[in-house]
Amino acid sequence: MVANESLPHPGREDIELTAVLFALSDEARLALVRQLQAGPLDMVDCSALGPEVPKSTRSHQVKVLREAGVIVSELHGRNRRLTLRREDIDARFPGLLESVLPE
Amino acid sequence: MVANESLPHPGREDIELTAVLFALSDEARLALVRQLQAGPLDMVDCSALGPEVPKSTRSHQVKVLREAGVIVSELHGRNRRLTLRREDIDARFPGLLESVLPE
DNA sequence: ACCATAGTTCGATAATAGTTGAACCGTCTG
DNA sequence: CAGACGGTTCAACTATTATCGAACTATGGT
């Protein structure tokens, strides 16, 4: 398995509410999503997960959000660019992000 | 510890978002909360948790929702009456329930 | 071409959560 | 007042999730 391959993301229709809620039920992941509100961010610049956190742990947290369909993780240069899937989540569960993320 | 004692419920201000999201991130618990949308229900009448589920398991599921502040569980005769804390959740996280429960 | 960077994956371990039977407790009904 | 009923709690077990080091891999810069 090559790190380069584009990682699997669920299609919009495959996003499950319980998976989204679970992904957001963790302080660190919620903080990351909140940070992504302002726009896409390279993983390395995401301070939300904490500076002291090993990269394998960070990778895991991002994976949970990605597999739940909350974020997109694309290869961008030698970084991963993380993007909140706002339109998809809004389409599937209108009002959810608005209620969970601060204004 | 007596079963009769009123069980601990967090005050409105102590309800934490991550705990609520976690409580709702389980299909059975989510189904129960959806059932409670229509109004309070005695625990014994809650079909959402499934009919084959042992009572200790049901008690545990209800506990998670109660401790998260999602529902109130009051002694009502020899039953437990479950009530969705709609006002409290709405006050703390406006729009959340509306987005998570079907219209 | 080399090396540093950013990140994934794997494997092990720790921590948390779920499931269930058994024992128990109040309340209601007869 | 003796059941039956509806639940809670406990303890043991299982299952899922989190954490993190180590090995590995593209990529970009020099």
Side-chain angles (χ1 to χ4, degrees):
Chain A
M1 224 155 274
V2 189
N4 182 14
E5 284 172 2
S6 81
L7 302 171
H9 295 73
R12 175 184 287 191
E13 297 311 316
D14 296 326
I15 298 178
E16 285 181 47
L17 178 55
T18 48
V20 172
L21 294 176
F22 179 79
L24 297 176
S25 72
D26 175 83
E27 294 287 358
R29 290 192 296 256
L30 183 59
L32 174 53
V33 170
R34 282 174 168 160
Q35 198 173 31
L36 291 179
Q37 260 190 302
L41 209 53
D42 282 356
M43 202 169 155
V44 70
D45 297 323
C46 293
S47 57
L49 293 178
E52 316 256 315
V53 181
K55 50 187 182 172
S56 51
T57 301
R58 290 156 57 93
S59 185
H60 172 255
Q61 301 279 38
V62 167
K63 182 184 187 182
V64 173
L65 287 167
R66 173 177 49 80
E67 290 181 340
V70 179
I71 65 175
V72 173
S73 170
E74 327 173 79
L75 203 52
H76 182 249
R78 69 181 153 189
N79 302 341
R80 286 275 167 191
R81 170 147 297 178
L82 306 184
T83 310
L84 182 58
R85 294 178 68 172
R86 184 182 287 277
E87 286 190 13
D88 289 331
I89 304 286
D90 283 351
R92 289 281 283 146
F93 317 110
L96 177 58
L97 281 181
E98 197 184 338
S99 72
V100 158
L101 309 176
E103 309 272 347
Chain B
M1 222 155 275
V2 189
N4 181 15
E5 283 171 3
S6 81
L7 301 170
H9 295 73
R12 175 183 286 191
E13 297 311 315
D14 296 326
I15 298 178
E16 285 180 48
L17 178 56
T18 48
V20 172
L21 295 176
F22 180 80
L24 296 176
S25 72
D26 174 82
E27 294 287 359
R29 291 192 296 256
L30 183 59
L32 174 53
V33 171
R34 283 174 167 159
Q35 198 172 31
L36 291 179
Q37 258 190 304
L41 210 53
D42 282 356
M43 201 169 156
V44 69
D45 297 324
C46 292
S47 58
L49 292 178
E52 315 257 315
V53 181
K55 48 189 184 173
S56 53
T57 302
R58 292 156 59 93
S59 186
H60 172 256
Q61 301 278 38
V62 167
K63 183 185 186 181
V64 173
L65 288 167
R66 173 177 50 81
E67 288 180 342
V70 178
I71 66 175
V72 174
S73 169
E74 329 173 77
L75 202 51
H76 182 248
R78 68 182 154 186
N79 301 340
R80 286 275 166 191
R81 169 147 298 179
L82 305 183
T83 310
L84 182 58
R85 294 179 67 173
R86 184 183 286 277
E87 286 191 13
D88 288 332
I89 304 286
D90 282 351
R92 290 281 283 149
F93 316 111
L96 176 58
L97 282 182
E98 198 184 337
S99 72
V100 158
L101 309 177
E103 308 273 346

